[in-house]
Amino acid sequence: MRSHPHRPAALVAGAVPLALALALLATGCEASTTPSATDDPFSSVRFTLGARGDIQVAGTSRTAVTRAGDRTVTGGRAYPFDRPPGKLLVVLRHWPSGASGVRAARDAVRLLPPPDDVAIESAYLVDTGDWALAELDGHAVQWLRRDTIRVDTTKAGAVGRTRLTLSGPRGSRPGRVKPPPDARACEGVDPAVNRYVVLPEVESGAAVPEVLARLRERCLDVQYVSMPGGGHRGTVRSIEIPVAGHTAPVAELPPTDDSPAQDRLPGDKILTDPSRPTRVLVTR
């Protein structure tokens, strides 16, 4: 008689008593097929924070998140957090929570400290395993893998709270753009040395992935800012590229009359300060 393909060999051969065979099925077999928490694929995790911090981490994959420390930063400069191989680094910039240490209500924060005050960067390492889709306030901004994403709330004011969501390929919504291939053209760029870049064309209301691709071609480090109003939700409101020196702190595109570097136009070559990330202002 031919053995059934799904019947344990011990039951077919009769070498093991029925009671012992059932015990093996109830223990050894089940233990080998039940996945542990660490074997679960990355699904999603959400970071929620305000201009004064108060960072909350939620989602089915929150156990994949590890704190990487807090650092004070000045002059818009970014702290060079270590990112272990295979991990995704999330850096959230905010103002201190206040001398009292008690979280202020979101409608109680009327004024923010001046731009030259000391801000805080809070870092988190996320074990996504593979590609993860980053969404800012519900709008897709980019795919990430073994990369860094920065969100700045110091310029967004005290209106509402900013939400950064990371979702695995299975947890992302259908119809999304597929993850891009690994880009290695910028691996040799020294982040500590000022360098020249050509300003790209940027239109208000453009899709974030389109603008991000132009910035990444120039090996610029991007930091997202979620801003209320000013256009269609989830689109680029403007970008600010740091200029080396003190006379023109940023080149704002598209240029505006009150921009501190309004004479900088697309196609111009500027000397950038790579220690200060390029801000991409996204309409909330």
Side-chain angles (χ1 to χ4, degrees):
M1 179 182 296
R2 189 174 58 179
S3 300
H4 193 281
H6 301 295
R7 183 177 298 165
L11 292 179
V12 176
V16 181
L18 180 60
L20 179 57
L22 292 176
L24 289 174
L25 289 175
T27 56
C29 231
E30 183 179 355
S32 64
T33 57
T34 302
S36 63
T38 57
D39 293 332
D40 291 339
F42 180 83
S43 177
S44 67
V45 66
R46 182 177 65 256
F47 298 87
T48 304
L49 73 156
R52 295 285 184 175
D54 182 31
I55 301 170
Q56 301 173 14
V57 182
T60 56
S61 299
R62 60 185 178 277
T63 56
V65 179
T66 305
R67 286 292 304 273
D70 299 315
R71 295 292 187 274
T72 57
V73 289
T74 58
R77 286 172 172 77
Y79 184 83
F81 288 98
D82 291 332
R83 184 184 59 80
K87 300 288 186 178
L88 191 152
L89 176 64
V90 175
V91 181
L92 308 175
R93 180 188 287 255
H94 55 88
W95 297 115
S97 59
S100 63
V102 179
R103 179 177 69 88
R106 69 182 70 170
D107 58 348
V109 183
R110 301 300 182 188
L111 298 175
L112 292 177
D116 57 349
D117 201 355
V118 175
I120 296 175
E121 287 189 340
S122 299
Y124 297 81
L125 294 172
V126 187
D127 186 6
T128 61
D130 203 341
W131 288 102
L133 178 65
E135 294 179 289
L136 188 64
D137 290 327
H139 304 286
V141 289
Q142 71 175 104
W143 283 94
L144 296 159
R145 182 173 65 172
R146 299 189 297 274
D147 206 340
T148 300
I149 183 167
R150 297 176 176 272
V151 177
D152 185 356
T153 63
T154 62
K155 190 174 181 177
V159 181
R161 297 173 66 76
T162 300
R163 293 171 178 82
L164 171 67
T165 304
L166 303 175
S167 302
R170 295 182 181 179
S172 60
R173 302 172 193 167
R176 296 297 190 193
V177 177
K178 297 299 182 182
D182 287 331
R184 304 185 184 278
C186 301
E187 285 187 348
V189 175
D190 190 341
V193 178
N194 295 348
R195 58 187 178 83
Y196 285 96
V197 299
V198 177
L199 295 179
E201 289 279 354
V202 176
E203 306 83 18
S204 182
V208 176
E210 295 176 6
V211 174
L212 180 63
R214 299 171 198 170
L215 299 177
R216 292 239 160 159
E217 286 178 355
R218 292 156 175 80
C219 302
L220 293 171
D221 186 16
V222 169
Q223 184 166 253
Y224 293 105
V225 180
S226 180
M227 300 285 289
H232 295 291
R233 294 181 178 180
T235 62
V236 173
R237 178 172 175 175
S238 62
I239 66 170
E240 297 173 349
I241 300 179
V243 180
H246 302 286
T247 56
V250 295
E252 185 175 352
L253 299 174
T256 59
D257 294 338
D258 57 351
S259 172
Q262 57 181 317
D263 57 331
R264 308 287 183 175
L265 300 174
D268 290 349
K269 182 182 290 187
I270 64 169
L271 184 64
T272 61
D273 179 359
S275 69
R276 295 158 51 203
T278 294
R279 282 176 165 174
V280 177
L281 281 65
V282 182
T283 301
R284 179 176 297 166

